[in-house]
Amino acid sequence: MHRCAWATDDLLCAYHDSEWGVPLHDDRLLFEFLCLEGAQAGLSWRTVLAKRERYREVFHGFDIARVAGMGERELEKALTDPGIIRNRLKVTAARDNARAALAMIDRHGSLDAYLWSFVDGQPVRNRWRSSAEVPATTASSDRMSKALKKDGFRFVGSTICYALMQATGMVNDHLVGCFRHREV
């Protein structure tokens, strides 16, 4: 069975085989990926994925309203938790992004509608043959990043936005030779 080259161990293979690239339309899960992709900045996805369950506990299952309501004391406590990445800017960004997400939900009806608007509501189906062909950013991720920043989101550079788009199936970047390419 052929997989994308980055799926190099059991944890990454399980994620690759069941989640990565599958179109996702649940606001809570989209918010989770937005937070986790931001937490990944400068680190490996494997590092974040290994801490994912603890992130879910610390950030209330990524319930957007609950994360938006996290106070300074709760954020300070999170910064002492070795089960997450203890970067003050990334931890506070989760709360700030939840507040921005609530505003987007009010304006657009859902976080799903807002984020998927950057790909016109339909997955972009790429046909890459090698990992070297897969871009780190695209014009769509550039637009998403610019809009998210304007709307008050943090840790949403174009590379992070493209990773979000890949993870949540807004783009299918499974290589053509990967068994998941046709499945998603």
Side-chain angles (χ1 to χ4, degrees):
M1 182 166 19
H2 294 283
R3 288 184 177 88
C4 297
W6 59 264
T8 57
D9 65 24
D10 289 346
L11 181 63
L12 291 172
C13 283
Y15 171 69
H16 170 275
D17 293 357
S18 63
E19 288 185 77
W20 192 71
V22 176
L24 185 59
H25 294 282
D26 177 273
D27 278 6
R28 186 192 62 75
L29 292 172
L30 287 166
F31 177 68
E32 176 178 331
F33 273 103
L34 181 71
C35 291
L36 294 178
E37 293 294 352
Q40 179 195 354
L43 303 169
S44 74
W45 179 244
R46 193 196 189 295
T47 298
V48 174
L49 200 55
K51 296 177 178 283
R52 186 181 193 185
E53 286 308 315
R54 187 63 190 145
Y55 266 96
R56 287 175 172 163
E57 293 169 15
V58 170
F59 291 101
H60 308 290
F62 292 99
D63 177 286
I64 300 170
R66 287 189 68 195
V67 176
M70 289 176 75
E72 293 305 316
R73 189 178 312 177
E74 194 172 4
L75 294 174
E76 287 299 321
K77 184 179 177 192
L79 285 166
T80 67
D81 192 319
I84 68 167
I85 295 157
R86 295 176 289 177
N87 175 298
R88 181 174 301 280
L89 294 175
K90 292 177 181 182
V91 168
T92 58
R95 190 244 347 249
D96 297 345
N97 288 348
R99 291 175 177 172
L102 289 176
M104 289 307 97
I105 291 167
D106 283 345
R107 283 183 31 207
H108 297 276
S110 67
L111 188 58
D112 173 56
Y114 177 64
L115 294 175
W116 277 82
S117 71
F118 295 97
V119 292
D120 296 325
Q122 295 295 317
V124 174
R125 301 190 191 287
N126 291 317
R127 298 195 48 79
W128 313 121
R129 299 202 178 282
S130 75
S131 297
E133 292 178 274
V134 181
T137 65
T138 63
S140 293
S141 68
D142 292 345
R143 283 191 309 277
M144 179 187 279
S145 173
K146 185 176 179 180
L148 287 171
K149 287 176 183 177
K150 182 180 175 231
D151 290 328
F153 289 85
R154 298 186 319 148
F155 281 92
V156 289
S158 188
T159 301
I160 290 170
C161 286
Y162 195 66
L164 173 70
M165 294 168 90
Q166 291 172 310
T168 62
M170 292 178 210
V171 296
N172 178 358
D173 273 354
H174 284 282
L175 301 180
V176 172
C178 174
F179 79 98
R180 292 289 286 159
H181 185 267
R182 266 188 251 114
E183 291 180 4
V184 300

